[in-house]
Amino acid sequence: MGVGTQQLDFAEFYRGTADECLRAVLVSVGDQDTAQELVDEAYARAWASWRTVSRHPAPKAWVVRTALNASISRWRRRRREVPVPDPAKVADLPATSGPLVSLVDPRIKAALLRLPARQRQVVALRLILDLDTARTAEVLGIAPGTVMAHLGRALAALRHDLQSELTQENRS
Amino acid sequence: MNDYDLSTMVRESVADIHSATPVAQIISQGRAVRARRRIPSAVTGLAVITAAAAVLGLGLSGAFGSASAHRAGAFETAAFTLVKHANGTATLTIHPNELLDTAALQSDLHQDGIPALVNSGSFCFSDPKPAGFAQVVSFYPMPSPQVRNTPPGQATITFHPAAMPAGTELSFGVFQLSSGGQQADFALIDATSYTCTSSPPPFSSRDGVELLTGSPAG
C-alpha cells in the first residue's frame, strides 16, 4: 500500500471515529481540552504505526487505550512537577469551565465525574465506544466479569444520582 | 429509568462533542512521531548488496550527519522510509524483500524537493550524461564490486538536492529479479532529454549506481 493510499485509508478512519473516540476519552477524563489533546496524540501515534494499527481488530479501541495510557503518563509526569489530584479522585472535583459545560448536560457530567475512574472508563468504552464486554476487558486489562461488575455499579450510581436530581426538579 | 434509557441519556449527553482537529494536522504530528522513532534504525543495521559501477564521493558522513540533525517529516511504506533532514538532504532506506511502490516514492521525493523520475520495469538515462551524480547521491554501505552477493539487507541512500545541476532529475529504475530480489538503478538525467529502456543499461564510473535488494542475485 502506497503512502497516498495509506493516508486516504487513515483519513477515512480518523473522520469516521474521531468524534466517538473523543467522546469516550472525554467521559473518562472529564475535560474536553485534555481529551482533545490526548485523542490527537493517540491518532498521531496511530498514523505513525498505521500498518500495525490498521490491522488491529478494533483500531478505535487502540486509539482510546493509547489516549488513556497517555493520560496516566501525563498525570504521573505532572505529579512529579506540581501537586495535582489523582485522576481516580477527579470525580470529587467541581465542574470545569469551557466548552464541555455548554455541550454536556451538567447533571450528567456531574454524575459521571462522581464515578471512580475505572467505572468511567468502562462506561466510556461500553456505552460511548460501543465495545463489547470482552473487548473492553482486553483494552482495560481486566477480566470480563470485572467489566460487567463496574458497568453495573456505574449504571446504578448514575441512576441514583440522576433520579434524585429529577425528583428534586419535579418537587420544585 | 431502565439501563437502556440511562445508556441513551449518557450517549446523548456527549453527542454534540466533535473533534476539532483536521486530519492533516494529525498526519503531520504522526510523521514527527514516526521520524523520531525511525532515526536510530536508519543509521544502523545496514547492508548493501551489490554495485555494478559507482565511485561515490560522500560516503557515510551524509547519512550519519544529516540523521542527527533531522527534525522534519518522514514518509514510510513497507518498502522504504524517506526522511527529510533539516540540512536539506533526505535519506532513503530501502527495506529488503518488499516491493517498491514507485509512484509513492516519486511523489515523496518530489515533496522533499528532489525532482525524480521513478519507474518500475524501465530505466531512463541521458546521453550525454549530466555531471555531478556523485555529489547528489551517496550510499551506505558504499557499493563496491567486492560486496557483491552479500546477504540481503537495507540500503540507505542520501540525496543532496542542493547539489543537483539545474535542469536535471534523478532517474530511479526498479526491476524485479527472477531470484525474488529487486534491482534499483540510479542516475542523473537531463530533464528535457532522456531515453527510457526496459533493461538497465551498463554503467561506467561516476555515471550512476545499481543496487540489488532482497534475495541475492546469485
Side-chain angles (χ1 to χ4, degrees):
Chain A
M1 188 187 292
V3 167
T5 312
Q6 283 187 39
Q7 279 195 12
L8 288 174
D9 191 36
F10 176 78
E12 188 181 350
F13 165 68
Y14 177 76
R15 292 191 186 102
T17 59
D19 291 348
E20 209 178 356
C21 289
L22 176 61
R23 291 166 192 158
V25 175
L26 170 59
V27 165
S28 295
V29 303
D31 176 76
Q32 190 172 353
D33 290 339
T34 304
Q36 183 76 66
E37 284 174 20
L38 292 169
V39 169
D40 287 355
E41 190 177 331
Y43 272 106
R45 291 185 192 182
W47 169 239
S49 305
W50 185 235
R51 273 194 296 156
T52 304
V53 176
S54 63
R55 290 195 287 261
H56 191 280
K60 63 182 181 182
W62 187 97
V63 168
V64 170
R65 182 172 64 179
T66 301
L68 295 179
N69 287 345
S71 172
I72 292 167
S73 302
R74 186 181 284 202
W75 172 75
R76 284 178 179 151
R77 268 200 311 275
R78 288 181 181 171
R79 188 178 57 165
R80 287 196 290 269
E81 294 165 2
V82 290
V84 294
D86 183 331
K89 296 175 183 167
V90 76
D92 298 330
L93 293 174
T96 54
S97 59
L100 181 58
V101 169
S102 57
L103 288 172
V104 179
D105 183 327
R107 293 169 308 171
I108 297 174
K109 183 196 171 193
L112 285 168
L113 289 179
R114 278 193 287 271
L115 297 176
R118 185 60 100 190
Q119 287 184 20
R120 285 202 310 275
Q121 290 171 357
V122 169
V123 167
L125 296 175
R126 289 284 286 111
L127 302 188
I128 308 296
L129 217 54
D130 205 22
L131 298 184
D132 61 23
T133 299
R135 183 69 64 199
T136 302
E138 190 183 310
V139 169
L140 296 177
I142 57 180
T146 311
V147 170
M148 293 165 71
H150 278 313
L151 184 61
R153 288 182 198 132
L155 289 174
L158 288 172
R159 183 180 295 111
H160 177 266
D161 274 11
L162 294 172
Q163 274 183 338
S164 300
E165 293 203 18
L166 287 172
T167 306
Q168 282 179 0
E169 275 181 15
N170 289 339
R171 282 179 186 160
S172 59
Chain B
M1 193 186 306
N2 61 29
D3 283 358
Y4 178 80
D5 294 337
L6 196 54
S7 303
T8 304
M9 190 183 280
V10 170
R11 280 193 200 99
E12 287 179 350
S13 74
V14 290
D16 288 335
I17 302 291
H18 299 283
S19 177
T21 310
V23 66
Q25 187 179 320
I26 298 289
I27 287 176
S28 170
Q29 202 176 327
R31 280 185 186 140
V33 171
R34 186 183 287 174
R36 282 197 299 273
R37 286 180 190 163
R38 288 288 161 186
I39 291 307
S41 63
V43 295
T44 58
L46 305 169
V48 164
I49 315 175
T50 189
V55 177
L56 302 170
L58 298 176
L60 307 183
S61 60
F64 282 97
S66 51
S68 62
H70 170 72
R71 286 294 181 272
F75 297 101
E76 185 191 15
T77 71
F80 71 84
T81 302
L82 181 64
V83 180
K84 178 77 180 289
H85 304 295
N87 65 3
T89 65
T91 302
L92 173 67
T93 302
I94 300 176
H95 308 301
N97 303 318
E98 297 284 353
L99 290 178
L100 269 173
D101 182 339
T102 53
L105 178 58
Q106 178 169 305
S107 166
D108 294 346
L109 286 167
H110 275 256
Q111 286 187 54
D112 278 354
I114 303 164
L117 187 61
V118 184
N119 292 302
S120 178
S122 72
F123 179 71
C124 301
F125 62 97
S126 295
D127 189 13
K129 305 168 183 71
F133 176 80
Q135 282 71 49
V136 175
V137 185
S138 56
F139 292 80
Y140 181 78
M142 187 186 293
S144 73
Q146 284 71 39
V147 296
R148 192 175 193 89
N149 295 337
T150 55
Q154 288 183 333
T156 295
I157 303 123
T158 299
F159 300 107
H160 305 256
M164 290 180 74
T168 62
E169 282 185 357
L170 268 174
S171 172
F172 185 178
V174 183
F175 297 88
Q176 301 304 316
L177 302 175
S178 56
S179 62
Q182 292 184 91
Q183 175 176 324
D185 297 272
F186 296 81
L188 204 57
I189 59 170
D190 181 337
T192 60
S193 174
Y194 59 82
T195 305
C196 299
T197 173
S198 58
S199 57
F203 284 114
S204 60
S205 179
R206 292 181 183 275
D207 285 340
V209 70
E210 177 182 88
L211 299 172
L212 299 181
T213 62
S215 302

